[in-house]
Amino acid sequence: CTNTLFFVDPSTHHQKFASTCLATLGTPRTLRENMELPIPTHVQYACLYWATHLALSPVTPELVTVLREFLTSKLLLWFGALSSMKRLDT
């Protein structure tokens, strides 16, 4: 489409998706030991695609802060969620 009214900047939206996925995973009790199955769809999406969106995002201080918090406090729980979903290949 050549109409600028409909232009979507992919990097901006990937950044928003990455931030939202990491914020979702960082919410208390979203990721925890002995997760109840089935894992909610929005949590599954966040688990599976936060890194893809992050890789396609520009680096910002806010995104680095959210990522650091996730990696220091939720990484092992994230692996547990991937294991529960049988998606460790991610």
Side-chain angles (χ1 to χ4, degrees):
C1 181
T2 57
N3 188 335
T4 57
L5 290 174
F6 298 107
F7 175 73
V8 175
D9 180 21
S11 66
T12 300
H13 291 282
H14 281 297
Q15 180 182 3
K16 289 178 184 178
F17 275 117
S19 293
T20 302
C21 287
L22 290 169
T24 297
L25 297 176
T27 302
R29 300 193 44 78
T30 297
L31 293 179
R32 58 191 179 281
E33 292 183 38
N34 304 318
M35 289 191 65
E36 300 162 7
L37 295 178
I39 297 172
T41 306
H42 71 288
V43 176
Q44 289 183 41
Y45 182 91
C47 283
L48 295 172
Y49 298 109
W50 68 265
T52 302
H53 292 301
L54 183 69
L56 297 169
S57 300
V59 177
T60 64
E62 297 82 14
L63 195 52
V64 170
T65 300
V66 174
L67 178 61
R68 181 177 289 122
E69 178 62 29
F70 170 75
L71 293 175
T72 58
S73 66
K74 301 291 184 175
L75 187 63
L76 292 177
L77 295 172
W78 172 65
F79 279 119
L82 289 178
S83 179
S84 295
M85 294 186 292
K86 298 185 181 356
R87 290 300 309 267
L88 284 171
D89 61 321
T90 300

